[in-house]
Amino acid sequence: MHSIGPMIQRLGYDIQFEIPAPTAIVALLNVHPSRVGDLHAPDELRVEPAAQLESYIDSFGNRCTRFVAQPGTLRLSNSTLIYDSGLADPVNPYARELPVQELPHDALRYLYNSRYCEVDRFATIALELFGGVPRGWSRVQAVCDWVHSRIRFGYEYARPTKTALDVYTESFGVCRDFQHLAVTLCRALHIPARYATGYLGDIGVPASPLPMDFSAWFEAYLEDRWWTFDARHNQPRIGRVLMATGRDASDVAMTTSFGIANLKQFTVVAEQVPQGQASGA
Amino acid sequence: MHSIGPMIQRLGYDIQFEIPAPTAIVALLNVHPSRVGDLHAPDELRVEPAAQLESYIDSFGNRCTRFVAQPGTLRLSNSTLIYDSGLADPVNPYARELPVQELPHDALRYLYNSRYCEVDRFATIALELFGGVPRGWSRVQAVCDWVHSRIRFGYEYARPTKTALDVYTESFGVCRDFQHLAVTLCRALHIPARYATGYLGDIGVPASPLPMDFSAWFEAYLEDRWWTFDARHNQPRIGRVLMATGRDASDVAMTTSFGIANLKQFTVVAEQVPQGQASGA
Amino acid sequence: MHSIGPMIQRLGYDIQFEIPAPTAIVALLNVHPSRVGDLHAPDELRVEPAAQLESYIDSFGNRCTRFVAQPGTLRLSNSTLIYDSGLADPVNPYARELPVQELPHDALRYLYNSRYCEVDRFATIALELFGGVPRGWSRVQAVCDWVHSRIRFGYEYARPTKTALDVYTESFGVCRDFQHLAVTLCRALHIPARYATGYLGDIGVPASPLPMDFSAWFEAYLEDRWWTFDARHNQPRIGRVLMATGRDASDVAMTTSFGIANLKQFTVVAEQVPQGQASGA
Amino acid sequence: MHSIGPMIQRLGYDIQFEIPAPTAIVALLNVHPSRVGDLHAPDELRVEPAAQLESYIDSFGNRCTRFVAQPGTLRLSNSTLIYDSGLADPVNPYARELPVQELPHDALRYLYNSRYCEVDRFATIALELFGGVPRGWSRVQAVCDWVHSRIRFGYEYARPTKTALDVYTESFGVCRDFQHLAVTLCRALHIPARYATGYLGDIGVPASPLPMDFSAWFEAYLEDRWWTFDARHNQPRIGRVLMATGRDASDVAMTTSFGIANLKQFTVVAEQVPQGQASGA
């Protein structure tokens, strides 16, 4: 399904941590600045107990919020509404691959190594696997097809130190692992690729049996812009709401704690609002 | 020696590659924008054969030059003059460590993981080693002392994929390896640290028996600014000329080639100009 | 508690796999040859459906059984009785460490690298941590104390590729991870250490809330023999029944399948038989 | 060239270390027991200054010598003569691959993980690369062809911690690295493979420009025996003299020192003795 017509989505989360000692936290829990114009209700990170919040835009263009969490239960929550075109991720098989010299300056950093993406170690492997595939859209799509079919999904395979090389050799992973491997392969082929996180409800697809979570996908730079790809689901999807992009998951963690923060509860909502009900958040 | 009085330094390099096929190259081979005001001669990257050069500032504030190298011998060279105070790296044992919540926004990214700095894997190790050292300048200095005495230098131990964890477990490395390990330990202690490269002549110290090379050091954020540290030499030095800073060596490679470029020659000059001779570059 | 008097233990397991295609399997599911004399009932690996079993002793002295599993459900089970002295693991603080040149030939291989034990990468780390501890029993015990207090237990941290270095940097693990780290540190200190697996019931200790499983511990060579250590529980225990020893978990997997074998059920029994009930297996 | 007729080879070495403190050393510096019958002169490891030598056969069947080196210069030398058939490594394209269940017991251990051979991490990769190649000799040969053409040789890429996965991702290595990668791929395909070291003179081939060194190759078990393969040279060679086999280089290091031993000199001789000159060693 490529379109369901314009709609309103309800977005939100309720995340709770147990905090043993005062801890600085950076949260990337707002809709990405590029989507702010679509909001139909305030997109406000609620922090309980109340803390002094500071907001800023990081070097990747994401909206970040900083605060100090006090000992006890920390609750981060939000509920908002956003307009959505109802169109699936655009597909453009004619989007061509730019030679590195024609890339915009700020795309270059997405060709480099990063914590979870050991581009240097995949130089030969990427060429062996995809050197024969026509450049451009079809090559990125070939990377997605390959990662999608080769890696098996399982929450039990998640771990915070898992790199693209680990994913490749272990053949198992979660959402972020699929994207890290695809991002790394694209970069090794000299195609800028960046990691993306956000909301992705089950819109236009059968409901997933898994509990709703934030989702990860990635963007590749082709022709003249960034395009959405998703090595985990590997199909154009309706209703993605971007929150952050970066070189890999290390740059765009939903929360980064500089001290102990034990996750106690985690729920995410991203769903189409039935017509006529979208007046209140 | 902490000062030799104001002076002029001659800086330059002559780097040659054999290029088999047209290759996009990004070079970080200029003096850092923060030092441009000290230049006494043009700081101009000469590319032979001539190529169309594009210059830009990357997301870390470094001056970059892009061009396409044609097949054959590529020569990158420069010769310039720069004013230097003659003062050694400042030392301030009273520079205090800021709690994360008081750090400026743009220092935060230097707390995170990067390609060669697996901060996550050093969380416990860093605390075990330095948790008992007073915070602030003395803690960063303790990291430098420890790295300096524990790692043995040797060019034969260099390799492009070597990470901080490799350096720690193998106990051998080159300049960049010393700094990667120190940077990673600082970050694991929640002290922002960034990798730095530039010129470092043998000024005020005995001449090194090794051929002159670019040098790597690092900067840590304490009190209200970035301070220079150097886990390799581990002493305040006179005459550093900064070229670039980034999260690690991956961000600030002197040249990054998106294709094959075989190094054929490499010489670097950084030396004090005898008084009265500084009129010509 | 250091002794509960002689007793009989009931040992057994019921392990089921789903086998999609004929698959060769090697099982180390018998009591170790050194304990055969204590058996009070046959220690017979039952394989259903019946298969042609071949038994042999591997190069480490373990009893192994080979067979080909046919598609369908494979059940491996056993139930036996064994005499136990009721004495806890012996403790001998005076057991001295032998210089390498005095070690018996066949202890030397337990000083080397193995798949999960990167002895070479711990050479410096081990000396830093334990170089100041008196040699011999107290040094091995110091290794156990350190691993025991530093690593946090959790089944969610298990993975088949986890090495001692991963355990050290991630600080989390299961039974086998604790022992791999301790074994590697001992070897890096030139103390022969080998990985051990077997039964370990909750005898003389409070019942564990976790389901019964096979257990891992390790042995270190001191004075004139191998001694039992356990970095996971870190206390002398009553009732260990050794099944196999090797360089690490790679050598002594309960089952090694040369094809797909999906675990469907797994129960282990190791318990003291109340007096007067030990007549039937 | 597949044969040059029976001949005598002169074998020898002169290896010197600087020893700062008494150090136990294990040396595998004799001809393999399987070749003892071919010796035409004593194969005697000379140790200077004299030390008490103990000789034994390790669990892999290799002849080992142990001794304690005293501070100062340690010299290990030997010079012997051996009969050689002059035939190149046998090639048997019809040698079939045994299903795991038909392998002899003692071949099984060469299917497992070892320090430098992460068989588990290559399970999927090996099938992707070689799953389509007919089983047996041609599959092992395909592994050799692939490793031989994909990895570039260079002494500057040697390092003691380099594993098969490092070799695969870095694409550079020395002799032992080629064999480690080939061995690992064979094991991942369920073909027993073991690492081998020995003498390999330039007999029947152009003289190598590199200084003579010991050589590494590997053996694969097919049909009913072990066969010699060599992913580095990848051609049948005349005049190999086996010294040791093991799971990987960790098992068969020429010398293993349990303390510091700095290599000062290293020469190896393996050459055909001109006819009529073979009377004296």
Side-chain angles (χ1 to χ4, degrees):
Chain A
M1 189 185 302
H2 293 300
S3 169
I4 58 167
M7 61 166 169
I8 297 294
Q9 271 196 74
R10 185 184 312 280
L11 306 176
Y13 48 81
D14 186 338
I15 306 172
Q16 296 179 29
F17 295 95
E18 201 59 40
I19 306 285
T23 298
I25 289 183
V26 175
L28 279 76
L29 282 168
N30 286 96
V31 159
H32 192 262
S34 62
R35 291 297 300 273
V36 164
D38 292 329
L39 286 167
H40 272 229
D43 171 33
E44 192 185 335
L45 166 60
R46 275 191 293 272
V47 177
E48 298 164 81
Q52 190 178 340
L53 308 185
E54 261 188 287
S55 188
Y56 65 99
I57 301 295
D58 69 16
S59 68
F60 300 100
N62 305 308
R63 184 171 160 205
C64 306
T65 304
R66 301 170 60 171
F67 58 92
V68 179
Q70 298 303 322
T73 298
L74 169 70
R75 184 176 179 217
L76 307 178
S77 61
N78 197 347
S79 178
T80 188
L81 297 170
I82 197 164
Y83 166 83
D84 194 284
S85 68
L87 299 173
D89 303 324
V91 172
N92 178 1
Y94 304 106
R96 79 188 172 99
E97 190 177 316
L98 295 187
V100 172
Q101 56 267 32
E102 297 180 21
L103 289 170
H105 301 321
D106 60 6
L108 289 177
R109 63 174 150 169
Y110 299 105
L111 291 174
Y112 289 18
N113 286 310
S114 57
R115 168 67 179 99
Y116 299 115
C117 301
E118 312 102 324
V119 181
D120 46 3
R121 300 194 74 172
F122 278 88
T124 307
I125 297 168
L127 274 180
E128 286 171 347
L129 290 172
F130 304 104
V133 177
R135 290 175 185 277
W137 185 278
S138 55
R139 198 175 264 198
V140 179
Q141 187 55 53
V143 167
C144 287
D145 292 346
W146 183 84
V147 172
H148 179 72
S149 68
R150 189 179 189 280
I151 306 302
R152 275 170 58 192
F153 183 88
Y155 274 113
E156 65 274 34
Y157 305 111
R159 65 175 191 271
T161 59
K162 197 171 196 172
T163 70
L165 185 57
D166 291 329
V167 181
Y168 175 54
T169 56
E170 299 176 17
S171 302
F172 288 94
V174 293
C175 212
R176 79 180 214 157
D177 299 320
F178 282 72
Q179 317 306 340
H180 279 156
L181 180 52
V183 161
T184 306
L185 288 165
C186 287
R187 289 184 195 167
L189 296 164
H190 301 338
I191 302 169
R194 66 188 187 192
Y195 185 86
T197 59
Y199 296 93
L200 178 58
D202 295 326
I203 299 174
V205 296
S208 162
L210 299 171
M212 173 77 62
D213 192 353
F214 292 115
S215 192
W217 55 87
F218 77 100
E219 296 180 342
Y221 196 93
L222 295 172
E223 192 81 39
D224 58 354
R225 49 165 285 201
W226 293 98
W227 303 82
T228 294
F229 288 88
D230 183 343
R232 163 78 178 97
H233 298 101
N234 203 28
Q235 58 171 312
R237 288 286 293 264
I238 295 167
R240 289 184 206 272
V241 180
L242 186 68
M243 299 176 80
T245 64
R247 297 212 284 199
D248 60 32
S250 199
D251 290 330
V252 296
M254 291 298 143
T255 58
T256 301
S257 310
F258 297 93
I260 297 169
N262 294 311
L263 188 65
K264 292 296 174 188
Q265 175 172 332
F266 184 83
T267 60
V268 174
V269 172
E271 61 189 10
Q272 187 177 2
V273 179
Q275 285 194 322
Q277 294 187 14
S279 51
Chain B
M1 191 185 302
H2 294 298
S3 169
I4 58 168
M7 62 167 169
I8 298 294
Q9 270 197 76
R10 186 185 311 281
L11 306 176
Y13 47 82
D14 186 339
I15 307 172
Q16 296 178 29
F17 295 96
E18 201 58 41
I19 306 285
T23 298
I25 290 183
V26 175
L28 278 76
L29 282 168
N30 287 97
V31 160
H32 192 263
S34 63
R35 291 297 300 273
V36 164
D38 292 329
L39 286 167
H40 271 228
D43 170 33
E44 192 186 334
L45 165 60
R46 276 191 293 273
V47 177
E48 297 164 83
Q52 190 178 340
L53 308 185
E54 260 187 289
S55 187
Y56 65 98
I57 302 294
D58 70 15
S59 67
F60 299 100
N62 305 308
R63 184 171 160 206
C64 305
T65 305
R66 303 170 58 170
F67 58 93
V68 179
Q70 297 304 323
T73 298
L74 169 71
R75 185 176 180 219
L76 307 178
S77 63
N78 197 346
S79 178
T80 189
L81 296 171
I82 197 164
Y83 166 82
D84 195 282
S85 67
L87 299 173
D89 304 324
V91 172
N92 178 1
Y94 305 106
R96 78 187 172 101
E97 189 179 316
L98 297 187
V100 172
Q101 55 268 31
E102 296 179 23
L103 290 169
H105 301 321
D106 59 7
L108 290 177
R109 62 174 150 169
Y110 299 105
L111 291 174
Y112 289 18
N113 286 309
S114 58
R115 168 66 179 99
Y116 299 114
C117 301
E118 311 101 325
V119 181
D120 45 3
R121 301 193 74 173
F122 279 89
T124 307
I125 296 167
L127 275 180
E128 285 171 346
L129 291 171
F130 304 104
V133 177
R135 291 176 185 276
W137 185 278
S138 56
R139 197 175 265 199
V140 179
Q141 188 55 53
V143 167
C144 288
D145 292 346
W146 184 85
V147 171
H148 179 72
S149 69
R150 189 181 188 279
I151 306 301
R152 275 171 55 192
F153 184 87
Y155 274 114
E156 65 273 34
Y157 306 111
R159 63 176 192 271
T161 58
K162 197 170 195 172
T163 70
L165 185 58
D166 291 329
V167 181
Y168 175 55
T169 55
E170 299 176 17
S171 301
F172 288 95
V174 292
C175 213
R176 79 179 213 159
D177 299 320
F178 282 72
Q179 317 305 341
H180 279 155
L181 180 52
V183 161
T184 306
L185 288 165
C186 287
R187 290 184 194 166
L189 295 164
H190 301 336
I191 302 169
R194 65 188 187 192
Y195 187 87
T197 60
Y199 295 93
L200 178 58
D202 295 325
I203 299 174
V205 295
S208 162
L210 299 171
M212 173 77 62
D213 192 354
F214 291 115
S215 192
W217 55 86
F218 77 100
E219 298 180 342
Y221 196 93
L222 295 172
E223 191 79 41
D224 58 354
R225 50 164 285 202
W226 292 99
W227 303 82
T228 294
F229 289 88
D230 182 343
R232 163 77 179 97
H233 298 101
N234 203 29
Q235 58 171 312
R237 287 287 292 265
I238 295 166
R240 290 185 204 272
V241 180
L242 186 68
M243 299 176 80
T245 64
R247 298 210 285 198
D248 60 33
S250 198
D251 289 331
V252 296
M254 290 298 142
T255 57
T256 301
S257 310
F258 297 92
I260 297 168
N262 295 311
L263 188 65
K264 292 295 174 191
Q265 175 171 333
F266 183 83
T267 60
V268 173
V269 172
E271 61 189 10
Q272 188 177 2
V273 179
Q275 284 194 322
Q277 293 188 14
S279 52
Chain C
M1 190 183 304
H2 293 298
S3 169
I4 57 168
M7 61 168 169
I8 298 293
Q9 271 196 75
R10 184 184 312 281
L11 307 175
Y13 47 81
D14 185 339
I15 307 172
Q16 296 179 27
F17 295 95
E18 201 59 40
I19 306 286
T23 298
I25 290 183
V26 175
L28 279 75
L29 283 168
N30 286 96
V31 160
H32 191 264
S34 62
R35 292 297 301 274
V36 164
D38 292 328
L39 286 167
H40 272 227
D43 171 34
E44 191 186 336
L45 165 60
R46 275 191 293 273
V47 177
E48 298 164 83
Q52 190 178 341
L53 308 185
E54 262 187 288
S55 188
Y56 65 100
I57 301 295
D58 69 15
S59 68
F60 299 101
N62 305 308
R63 182 170 161 205
C64 305
T65 305
R66 301 169 61 172
F67 58 92
V68 179
Q70 297 304 323
T73 297
L74 168 70
R75 185 175 179 219
L76 307 178
S77 62
N78 197 346
S79 179
T80 188
L81 296 172
I82 197 164
Y83 166 82
D84 195 282
S85 68
L87 299 173
D89 304 325
V91 172
N92 178 2
Y94 304 105
R96 77 187 172 101
E97 189 179 316
L98 296 187
V100 172
Q101 55 267 31
E102 297 180 20
L103 289 169
H105 301 320
D106 60 5
L108 290 177
R109 62 174 151 169
Y110 299 105
L111 290 173
Y112 289 17
N113 285 309
S114 57
R115 168 67 180 100
Y116 299 114
C117 301
E118 311 101 325
V119 180
D120 46 3
R121 302 194 73 172
F122 278 89
T124 308
I125 296 167
L127 274 179
E128 286 171 346
L129 291 172
F130 304 104
V133 178
R135 292 176 185 276
W137 183 279
S138 56
R139 198 175 262 198
V140 179
Q141 187 55 53
V143 167
C144 288
D145 292 346
W146 183 85
V147 171
H148 179 72
S149 68
R150 189 181 188 278
I151 306 302
R152 275 171 56 192
F153 184 87
Y155 275 114
E156 65 274 34
Y157 304 111
R159 65 176 192 273
T161 59
K162 197 170 196 171
T163 69
L165 185 57
D166 292 329
V167 181
Y168 175 55
T169 57
E170 299 177 17
S171 302
F172 289 95
V174 292
C175 211
R176 79 179 215 158
D177 299 321
F178 282 72
Q179 316 306 342
H180 279 155
L181 181 52
V183 161
T184 307
L185 288 165
C186 287
R187 290 184 194 166
L189 295 164
H190 301 337
I191 302 169
R194 64 188 188 192
Y195 185 87
T197 59
Y199 295 92
L200 179 58
D202 295 326
I203 298 174
V205 297
S208 162
L210 299 170
M212 173 77 62
D213 192 354
F214 291 115
S215 191
W217 56 86
F218 77 101
E219 296 180 343
Y221 196 93
L222 294 172
E223 193 77 42
D224 58 354
R225 51 165 285 200
W226 293 98
W227 302 82
T228 294
F229 289 89
D230 182 343
R232 163 78 179 98
H233 298 101
N234 204 28
Q235 57 171 314
R237 289 286 293 265
I238 295 167
R240 291 184 204 271
V241 180
L242 186 68
M243 299 176 80
T245 64
R247 297 212 284 200
D248 61 31
S250 199
D251 290 331
V252 296
M254 291 298 143
T255 58
T256 301
S257 311
F258 297 92
I260 297 169
N262 295 310
L263 189 65
K264 292 296 174 189
Q265 175 172 332
F266 183 84
T267 60
V268 174
V269 172
E271 61 190 10
Q272 186 177 3
V273 179
Q275 286 193 320
Q277 294 188 13
S279 51
Chain D
M1 189 184 303
H2 293 299
S3 170
I4 57 167
M7 60 167 170
I8 298 293
Q9 271 196 76
R10 185 184 311 281
L11 307 176
Y13 46 82
D14 185 339
I15 307 172
Q16 296 178 28
F17 295 95
E18 203 57 40
I19 306 286
T23 298
I25 290 184
V26 175
L28 279 75
L29 283 167
N30 286 96
V31 160
H32 192 263
S34 62
R35 291 298 299 275
V36 163
D38 292 329
L39 286 166
H40 272 227
D43 170 34
E44 193 186 335
L45 165 60
R46 276 191 292 272
V47 177
E48 297 163 86
Q52 190 178 341
L53 309 185
E54 261 187 288
S55 188
Y56 64 99
I57 302 294
D58 70 15
S59 68
F60 300 101
N62 305 307
R63 183 171 161 205
C64 305
T65 305
R66 302 170 60 172
F67 58 93
V68 179
Q70 296 304 323
T73 298
L74 169 69
R75 185 175 179 218
L76 307 179
S77 62
N78 197 347
S79 179
T80 189
L81 296 171
I82 197 164
Y83 166 82
D84 194 283
S85 68
L87 299 174
D89 303 325
V91 172
N92 178 1
Y94 303 107
R96 76 188 173 99
E97 189 179 318
L98 296 187
V100 172
Q101 56 267 32
E102 297 180 21
L103 290 169
H105 301 322
D106 60 7
L108 289 177
R109 62 174 152 169
Y110 298 105
L111 290 174
Y112 289 17
N113 286 309
S114 58
R115 169 67 180 98
Y116 299 114
C117 301
E118 311 101 326
V119 181
D120 47 2
R121 302 194 72 172
F122 278 88
T124 307
I125 295 167
L127 274 180
E128 286 171 345
L129 291 171
F130 304 104
V133 177
R135 290 176 186 276
W137 184 278
S138 55
R139 196 175 265 197
V140 179
Q141 187 54 54
V143 167
C144 287
D145 293 345
W146 183 84
V147 172
H148 180 72
S149 68
R150 188 180 188 279
I151 306 303
R152 275 170 56 192
F153 184 87
Y155 275 114
E156 66 273 33
Y157 305 111
R159 65 175 190 274
T161 59
K162 198 171 195 171
T163 69
L165 185 57
D166 292 329
V167 181
Y168 175 55
T169 57
E170 298 177 17
S171 301
F172 289 95
V174 292
C175 212
R176 80 179 212 158
D177 299 321
F178 283 73
Q179 317 307 342
H180 279 155
L181 180 52
V183 161
T184 307
L185 288 165
C186 288
R187 289 184 194 165
L189 295 164
H190 301 337
I191 302 169
R194 65 187 187 192
Y195 185 87
T197 60
Y199 296 92
L200 178 58
D202 296 325
I203 298 173
V205 297
S208 163
L210 299 171
M212 173 76 63
D213 192 354
F214 291 116
S215 191
W217 55 87
F218 77 100
E219 296 180 342
Y221 196 94
L222 295 172
E223 193 79 39
D224 57 355
R225 50 165 285 201
W226 292 98
W227 302 83
T228 294
F229 289 88
D230 182 343
R232 163 78 179 98
H233 298 102
N234 203 28
Q235 55 171 316
R237 289 286 293 266
I238 295 167
R240 290 184 205 272
V241 180
L242 186 68
M243 298 175 81
T245 64
R247 297 212 284 200
D248 61 33
S250 199
D251 290 331
V252 295
M254 290 300 143
T255 57
T256 301
S257 311
F258 297 92
I260 297 169
N262 295 311
L263 188 64
K264 292 297 175 190
Q265 175 173 332
F266 184 84
T267 59
V268 174
V269 171
E271 61 190 10
Q272 187 177 2
V273 178
Q275 285 192 320
Q277 294 188 12
S279 52

